[in-house]
């Protein structure tokens, strides 16, 4: 089983996964709401949109922006059951356990925390949108 640091390092080697960053609005939202509230939102999104064995609209249920958890899900390959299967060998068609959900939340929150501490992430997000 890989650690959060190992998972984030592996994800950073994917040009697609590494292209996701928090934009200025999302960072401001995190600052305004606080990490505890973002963690609560994260748990809710994972529980409702990812944990069911057959999530509604699986494969397209996670927007890319609009809430800090959304780019985190894409950056961490926790956006749909297909990505969970490909990156973490979590089979489709099975309900995610509470432990699995909490591991996903911890990974997403670690990514968000890194983004909040990276002054260049918002600039990379703006550059990506302009391309």
């Amino acid at each position: 089983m890989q650690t959060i640091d190992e998972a984030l390092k592996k994800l950073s080697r994917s040009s697609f996964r590494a292209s996701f960053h928090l934009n200025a609005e999302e960072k401001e939202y995190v600052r305004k709401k606080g990490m505890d509230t973002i963690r609560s939102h994260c748990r809710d999104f994972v529980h409702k949109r990812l944990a069911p064995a057959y999530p509604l609209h699986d494969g397209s249920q996670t927007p890319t922006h609009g809430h800090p958890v959304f780019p985190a899900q894409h950056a961490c390959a926790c956006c749909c059951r297909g990505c969970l299967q490909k990156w973490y060998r979590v089979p489709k068609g099975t309900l995610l356990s509470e432990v699995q959900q909490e591991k996903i939340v911890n990974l997403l929150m670690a990514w968000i925390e890194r983004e909040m501490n990276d002054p260049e992430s918002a600039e990379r997000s703006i550059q990506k949108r302009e391309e």
Side-chain angles (χ1 to χ4, degrees), residues 42-61:
C42 189
R43 278 191 183 113
D44 189 51
F45 290 143
V46 168
H47 179 74
K48 290 180 179 173
R49 297 177 179 211
L50 198 60
Y54 300 98
L56 186 63
H57 306 296
D58 192 29
S60 62
Q61 74 267 39

Side-chain angles (χ1 to χ4, degrees), residues 10-131:
K10 182 178 176 183
L11 291 159
S12 73
R13 291 191 293 262
S14 163
S15 59
F16 177 72
R17 301 291 165 197
S19 71
F20 290 94
H21 298 283
L22 293 180
N23 63 33
E25 295 83 17
E26 291 158 344
K27 282 187 167 192
E28 181 57 31
Y29 186 83
V30 172
R31 282 190 282 275
K32 180 179 173 186
K33 295 293 184 179
M35 292 298 270
D36 290 340
T37 298
I38 300 302
R39 181 176 286 275
S40 175
H41 294 171
C42 189
R43 278 191 183 113
D44 189 51
F45 290 143
V46 168
H47 179 74
K48 290 180 179 173
R49 297 177 179 211
L50 198 60
Y54 300 98
L56 186 63
H57 306 296
D58 192 29
S60 62
Q61 74 267 39
T62 306
T64 56
H65 285 285
H67 191 285
V69 172
F70 298 153
Q73 285 184 268
H74 289 287
C76 296
C78 297
C79 45
C80 68
R81 296 306 295 270
C83 291
L84 281 180
Q85 183 171 303
K86 176 181 176 181
W87 282 82
Y88 306 105
R89 297 183 187 105
V90 176
K92 288 183 175 185
T94 59
L95 179 69
L96 295 181
S97 71
E98 292 295 323
V99 170
Q100 288 172 311
Q101 291 178 56
E102 195 60 24
K103 285 181 180 182
I104 291 167
V105 168
N106 290 339
L107 175 63
L108 297 174
M109 292 304 298
W111 183 89
I112 290 170
E113 189 170 319
R114 286 184 183 197
E115 283 289 299
M116 293 301 293
N117 293 323
D118 180 0
E120 297 177 7
S121 68
E123 181 62 30
R124 286 191 298 268
S125 181
I126 291 167
Q127 289 173 349
K128 183 179 182 322
R129 278 186 272 155
E130 290 175 350
E131 292 175 353

